[in-house]
Amino acid sequence: MKTPKTLRVLSLLITVLLVPGPASAAAGIAGETVTPPPAKAPALEDYGLQIKSGEALYRPDPVLPDLSRFTREAIESRLAGRPDQEPSVTVERIGDVSALGDFVDEGRAREWVIRQFSHPQAILVNSGKVTLEDVYRQVDDARYMERVGDGTYIVRLPLVVRHGATLVIRDQTLRLSEERGAFFANDGWLFVIDSKILGWREQANGPATFRKKTDFRPFFVGWGGSETFILGTTMASLGYHQSKSYGFAIAQYSDFDNARLQRSAPHAWVVESTFEDLYYGFYCYEAKDVAVVNNVYRDNIVYGIDPHDYSEGLIIAGNEVYGTREKHGIIISRQVNNSWIIGNRSYNNGLSGIVLDRQSRNNVVANNVSFDNHGDGIGLYESPDNLLWGNRLMNNLRNGIRVRNSTNVDLYHNVAVLNGTWGIYGQLKDLSATDRNFKEDFYDYEVSMAVVGGELASNASGPISSDNPEYIALYNVGMRFPRSDAGIHFEGVLGHFQTQIFDALLNQDQAVFIKPSASVTGKVTQVEN
């Protein structure tokens, strides 16, 4: 029979799942690797506590992007705006095609020599507004492309949309032959609507399901200057462990190539589509203003959604991400800035639900639900100046929210319940013994955060803990239903001021600020409202 305490916790969990948050929130560079020693963290006796009005921590609801513009009608309008020109498709050697340069350099061409039994060739969509049927008719060679059913085609060469050309795939299935080394590169405009793009194993007459990371599988990449629109489409069984060959990738050209090509950042809308059994469900590099909205990412291998390296202005919204085998459901890493991760559901992933990593700054993570993950609900690693607003983190194996080596993090109106360690954990971690390139992936050995509103309930280790923070501020934080018989308790600097914290939060309805300061060392300072 369940105890009253257990029933209260279950009731709270049901409330968390059903009640929405605040209404308006919805590899290394060349050069020497420098290993900086971590700064010395302040000792407990160096800290003081101030009590102030909660108004000192007020901040308005975040301004979130308008998602209503990412519609079928908007994509069809962009397609209609492309010029109707005669289609031109050829089969040519791949050596001088810019969109294929990454795949013939550094010995990678050998992959296609072996698979094509000749000097590598590709199908090139050169110009015009081209359909898949146009490609088939102009190639006119079953060795390279074959129609295997009504609206179903198999391609046995790399397929490239050249700069300025437009390819439209609508209500069709495109199979990319694994045995023959087929893949899909967009250097122009691509519209894939209500279709399927599949890695295909011809010998088995079925999908090229994942075996091991070094085994070639077909993939898609959209290059600098390209425009890619994916709508209502399934992409499956793509990608392996090679640069820009991860499954679905949107990537700028290298600095060397772009000095010649002068391409703008790549752009994409990925809307209402499904991605499964991809090595990376989504990857981007130096992309801007990409929208990944209302998709399903399921059972992908390493990551579900992985924007990377110097991408900016991204919108990752309304996606369902689950079953990622090895690592995180959603991760942004290496200076992915000024972006939004909002309204996603990320669960049952190999590590964490959502991660911000390697100096990703000025991002808003709002109204997401992250649960049943084998790591944290949300993790911030070496990523300062971010806002987490109105997220719900439940039953994750580790922490609800982990803030590691990250400063000026605002945690507002988040709910973390039934997690395996802390509701919120501020962590200092010395990374000097790792193989990290500190020239590129620098970090500060500091943690600071403001925690306002929300609920930290029934987490196994307690509601909140922080290794020696630069500062920590708390106001109006619910901390009900402790799992420990000892009740709600803190450790470290929070434990040092536990009585004063509870008195200020619960009895005075005030905010507390804890930081090392000569003016407040060893004192509790009451600041007038």
Side-chain angles (χ1 to χ4, degrees):
M1 179 176 179
K2 292 182 173 64
T3 64
K5 177 179 176 181
T6 303
L7 291 173
R8 289 198 301 272
V9 173
L10 290 173
S11 176
L12 173 65
L13 180 58
I14 292 170
T15 300
V16 168
L17 286 166
L18 296 180
V19 177
S24 61
I29 63 173
E32 182 181 358
T33 297
V34 180
T35 305
K40 183 179 178 181
L44 288 180
E45 58 268 19
D46 295 330
Y47 282 90
L49 179 145
Q50 292 181 324
I51 300 173
K52 301 180 182 180
S53 166
E55 293 180 0
L57 290 172
Y58 170 78
R59 66 175 297 162
D61 294 359
V63 177
L64 302 180
D66 178 14
L67 303 181
S68 66
R69 58 196 175 99
F70 302 110
T71 63
R72 179 173 293 270
E73 291 74 19
I75 292 174
E76 293 285 4
S77 176
R78 292 187 179 227
L79 173 56
R82 297 299 298 152
D84 285 316
Q85 297 174 341
E86 285 297 312
S88 170
V89 180
T90 57
V91 176
E92 300 180 21
R93 291 187 173 187
I94 69 176
D96 297 324
V97 180
S98 57
L100 300 175
D102 271 37
F103 312 120
V104 298
D105 292 341
E106 299 179 1
R108 288 190 69 184
R110 183 175 182 272
E111 183 88 62
W112 285 274
V113 172
I114 293 171
R115 293 175 182 277
Q116 294 188 22
F117 314 110
S118 65
H119 193 292
Q121 294 179 297
I123 300 170
L124 305 180
V125 177
N126 297 303
S127 60
K129 185 184 283 188
V130 183
T131 68
L132 209 53
E133 179 65 18
D134 292 330
V135 176
Y136 170 70
R137 284 190 286 103
Q138 295 199 21
V139 168
D140 194 25
D141 192 328
R143 293 176 300 167
Y144 305 142
M145 184 175 184
E146 186 178 359
R147 186 162 55 199
V148 294
D150 187 19
T152 300
Y153 301 84
I154 187 161
V155 168
R156 300 188 175 98
L157 295 178
L159 173 62
V160 180
V161 184
R162 303 191 85 166
H163 193 59
T166 303
L167 176 61
V168 183
I169 301 175
R170 185 192 295 273
D171 297 316
Q172 293 168 316
T173 297
L174 177 62
R175 298 173 179 175
L176 302 171
S177 171
E178 178 184 67
E179 290 89 344
R180 297 297 299 277
F183 62 88
F184 195 174
N186 178 31
D187 201 26
W189 288 72
L190 173 66
F191 295 83
V192 184
I193 301 172
D194 300 328
S195 295
K196 294 181 180 180
I197 309 293
L198 308 175
W200 198 254
R201 192 165 291 146
E202 292 195 73
Q203 291 180 352
N205 193 31
T209 52
F210 179 75
R211 289 171 171 166
K212 59 183 180 180
K213 68 180 186 180
T214 55
D215 286 357
F216 171 86
R217 291 202 302 173
F219 56 88
F220 168 82
V221 59
W223 286 114
S226 68
E227 298 278 345
T228 299
F229 297 89
I230 309 295
L231 171 66
T233 286
T234 295
M235 301 186 77
S237 300
L238 302 171
Y240 69 121
H241 187 66
Q242 276 282 5
S243 176
K244 311 301 188 297
S245 307
Y246 301 128
F248 184 98
I250 303 294
Q252 180 57 284
Y253 282 103
S254 68
D255 290 342
F256 176 81
D257 287 332
N258 209 33
R260 172 175 56 90
L261 297 170
Q262 295 294 305
R263 298 289 171 78
S264 60
H267 178 261
W269 285 10
V270 182
V271 180
E272 296 175 5
S273 295
T274 298
F275 300 81
E276 56 186 317
D277 188 34
L278 273 63
Y279 194 64
Y280 292 5
F282 174 92
Y283 172 88
C284 67
Y285 173 87
E286 293 188 1
K288 288 188 178 180
D289 303 324
V290 169
V292 182
V293 179
N294 295 338
N295 304 287
V296 175
Y297 290 84
R298 63 178 176 229
D299 299 331
N300 294 296
I301 310 306
V302 181
Y303 299 112
I305 299 174
D306 178 28
H308 227 277
D309 295 65
Y310 320 114
S311 296
E312 188 167 358
L314 312 182
I315 298 173
I316 303 168
N319 301 287
E320 186 166 9
V321 186
Y322 63 93
T324 309
R325 298 188 201 177
E326 295 184 9
K327 296 186 179 181
H328 314 299
I330 300 172
I331 176 173
I332 62 174
S333 183
R334 189 171 288 135
Q335 299 185 54
V336 177
N337 301 329
N338 304 309
S339 296
W340 295 268
I341 302 174
I342 53 178
N344 303 284
R345 288 168 56 86
S346 186
Y347 57 95
N348 195 29
N349 296 294
L351 286 177
S352 297
I354 299 172
V355 170
L356 282 63
D357 183 44
R358 300 185 187 229
Q359 297 296 323
S360 293
R361 296 171 178 256
N362 299 321
N363 300 292
V364 176
V365 183
N367 278 356
N368 301 283
V369 182
S370 180
F371 62 97
D372 290 348
N373 295 293
H374 295 184
D376 303 312
I378 298 178
L380 281 77
Y381 301 146
E382 296 73 54
S383 291
D385 306 321
N386 289 295
L387 170 63
L388 274 60
W389 182 286
N391 301 287
R392 289 169 283 168
L393 307 315
M394 291 92 64
N395 202 42
N396 297 290
L397 187 62
R398 298 178 184 170
N399 305 282
I401 298 172
R402 183 198 302 258
V403 180
R404 189 182 82 182
N405 299 335
S406 302
T407 56
N408 194 31
V409 174
D410 284 348
L411 308 175
Y412 278 58
H413 312 300
N414 300 288
V415 175
V417 300
L418 296 172
N419 295 291
T421 50
W422 297 97
I424 296 173
Y425 177 36
Q427 180 186 23
L428 293 174
K429 186 170 182 178
D430 178 7
L431 303 178
S432 59
T434 69
D435 61 358
R436 189 184 191 95
N437 186 319
F438 295 98
K439 190 174 181 179
E440 184 173 36
D441 295 322
F442 58 92
Y443 74 100
D444 295 317
Y445 188 68
E446 295 177 331
V447 165
S448 61
M449 56 182 154
V451 182
V452 177
E455 184 76 41
L456 308 175
S458 198
N459 298 289
S461 299
I464 184 169
S465 177
S466 181
D467 298 337
N468 306 62
E470 180 184 8
Y471 73 80
I472 185 167
L474 304 171
Y475 177 62
N476 192 31
V477 184
M479 302 183 193
R480 295 178 289 172
F481 312 128
R483 289 200 203 178
S484 170
D485 292 337
I488 298 171
H489 68 283
F490 300 133
E491 294 179 356
V493 66
L494 293 173
H496 190 63
F497 293 107
Q498 179 160 310
T499 301
Q500 297 95 321
I501 291 172
F502 284 147
D503 181 60
L505 294 181
L506 301 178
N507 298 328
Q508 300 182 49
D509 191 26
Q510 298 280 74
V512 297
F513 295 77
I514 302 171
K515 59 183 179 179
S517 171
S519 63
V520 295
T521 296
K523 299 179 182 179
V524 176
T525 304
Q526 184 83 40
V527 179
E528 296 297 327
N529 293 344

